[in-house]
Amino acid sequence: MARDRGGSGLTVVIAFGANFAVAVAKTVAAVLTGSASMVAEAAHSWADTGNEVFLLVAERTAGRPADTDRPLGYGREAYVWSMLAALGLFVAGGVVSVYHGIQEFDASGEGSSYTIGYLVLAVAFCLEGVSFVQAYRRTRSEARALGRDLLDHALATSDPTLRAVLAEDSAALVGLVIAGGGMALHQATGDARFDAIGSILVGVLLCVVAVVLFDRNRRFLTGEVADERIHQAVRERVEALPGVHRVGRLRLEFVGPRQLLLVASIDLPGDESESHVAVRLRDLEQQLERIPQIVDAVLTPAVPGDR
C-alpha cells in the first residue's frame, strides 16, 4: 500500500519510449511489406504511445496535494485520464485494426520484404519486453506484499497506470506473435487472408483489453472499496490505538491510487461528556491521517450492534 508514485511514473516513461520506437519501426515495415497484420501492429503501437501521454498526465494530476476545493485530493483524476487511455486503445488500436483486416480480407497479391517485417517484429518484441519486465516486476512486488496472485493484483490494484502498462505490454507481446504468424502463413501460402485474419485478431485482442481497463477505471471512479485483507489490517491498526476498545462499522473507499478514505465507528471505554469524546475522536483521526495511505479519517462513537 506504499504511496510510491515515482515507481509508476518510471514504468510509464519506459513504456512510452519503447512504444514510440516500436511504432516508428512498425510503420516503416508496414509500408515496405504491405502486411495487414503489420498495419494493425503499427496502429496498436501508435495507440499505446498516445495512451502513455494520458497515463503521464494521470500520474501528474493525481499527485497534487489536497486543497480547499478538493479536500480529499485529486487522486480520482488518475482514473479519468486512464479511462481516456482505454478508450483510445479501443478506437485507435482495436477498431482500426479490425476494420483494416476486414478491408484486406479479399485482397490478393504477394507481400514483399518479409525479412524486414520479421526483423522489426523481433526488435519490437525485445523493446516491448523491456517495458513488460518493468511493469511485471513492480506488479509482482506489490502482489506479494498484499498476499495476492499477480493477475488478481493487476485487476484489483488502485494504481490505474500500473495496470494499464502491464495490460498493454502483455497485449503487445501477444499481438506481435499473432502478427508474425499471419505474415508467415501469408508468405508460405500466398493467401493474404491469413494476414488479414492476423489484423482482425490483433484488433479483437486490443478491444478486449480496452474494455477490461475501462471497466476497472469506472469502478474506482464511482467508488471502489478496499478488499478484506486491507480492511482487516486497518481494523487491527485502529484497534491498536490507545483508548480504542473495538471497531464497529468500517468502510475503506479508494479516492485515488493507494489513497483511502476511512470511515469507522469505534467503542471508547468510559463515560465521558460529549465534548471530551469529540476531542478524543479528533485526536485519533489525526493519528490515522498520519498514515500515508489514509487521506481522511472520520470516526464516530459505536452503538450496540455496530459491525
Side-chain angles (χ1 to χ4, degrees):
M1 286 292 295
R3 288 175 64 179
D4 179 10
R5 305 301 299 158
S8 295
L10 176 62
T11 301
V12 177
V13 170
I14 292 174
F16 175 82
N19 284 324
F20 180 77
V22 169
V24 172
K26 286 180 181 177
T27 301
V28 174
V31 172
L32 294 176
T33 63
S35 166
S37 296
M38 188 62 74
V39 171
E41 278 297 306
H44 176 190
S45 291
W46 283 117
D48 281 353
T49 303
N51 289 345
E52 305 311 331
V53 176
F54 284 123
L55 297 180
L56 286 171
V57 174
E59 282 287 303
R60 183 175 181 84
T61 56
R64 287 185 292 175
D67 53 32
T68 54
D69 292 330
R70 296 289 187 276
L72 295 181
Y74 292 82
R76 282 197 172 109
E77 288 215 22
Y79 305 120
V80 175
W81 290 101
S82 298
M83 188 176 287
L84 291 175
L87 183 62
L89 180 65
F90 183 87
V91 176
V95 174
V96 169
S97 298
V98 171
Y99 179 75
H100 182 73
I102 293 173
Q103 277 192 320
E104 295 293 318
F105 195 78
D106 293 326
S108 58
E110 291 288 333
S112 59
S113 303
Y114 287 107
T115 302
I116 294 177
Y118 294 136
L119 180 61
V120 168
L121 289 177
V123 172
F125 196 91
C126 293
L127 292 175
E128 295 283 9
V130 170
S131 178
F132 172 79
V133 168
Q134 168 69 15
Y136 175 84
R137 286 178 175 173
R138 182 167 175 79
T139 306
R140 183 182 61 182
S141 175
E142 291 186 4
R144 286 178 175 174
L146 289 170
R148 292 171 174 162
D149 292 333
L150 186 136
L151 181 59
D152 288 341
H153 182 66
L155 292 173
T157 179
S158 63
D159 187 345
T161 57
L162 179 62
R163 175 172 40 249
V165 172
L166 181 67
E168 291 175 3
D169 287 346
S170 300
L173 294 175
V174 175
L176 289 168
V177 174
I178 294 173
M183 285 180 57
L185 289 172
H186 184 186
Q187 182 183 15
T189 65
D191 190 344
R193 286 179 295 183
F194 287 110
D195 214 358
I197 291 173
S199 177
I200 294 172
L201 291 177
V202 169
V204 171
L205 173 66
L206 298 183
C207 287
V208 171
V209 171
V211 169
V212 172
L213 292 176
F214 192 92
D215 179 67
R216 294 309 302 171
N217 285 300
R218 175 193 62 80
R219 291 170 63 95
F220 278 94
L221 191 59
T222 54
E224 180 80 348
V225 296
D227 67 16
E228 187 58 33
R229 294 186 185 92
I230 298 176
H231 266 84
Q232 185 60 33
V234 173
R235 180 179 293 275
E236 292 173 359
R237 184 69 173 268
V238 176
E239 290 180 342
L241 293 173
V244 176
H245 179 63
R246 82 179 169 88
V247 175
R249 289 179 295 176
L250 173 64
R251 180 176 177 84
L252 296 168
E253 181 176 319
F254 284 103
V255 294
R258 304 179 183 87
Q259 299 174 21
L260 288 166
L261 168 65
L262 184 157
V263 180
S265 63
I266 60 174
D267 187 10
L268 298 175
D271 188 18
E272 297 180 336
S273 65
E274 182 178 341
S275 60
H276 286 163
V277 170
V279 171
R280 288 184 63 186
L281 289 176
R282 186 61 195 130
D283 178 64
L284 293 171
E285 288 172 348
Q286 290 174 341
Q287 292 183 54
L288 290 170
E289 289 166 0
R290 295 190 189 106
I291 302 172
Q293 300 83 21
I294 305 298
V295 175
D296 192 22
V298 180
L299 300 178
T300 59
V303 298
D306 266 359
R307 52 175 165 173

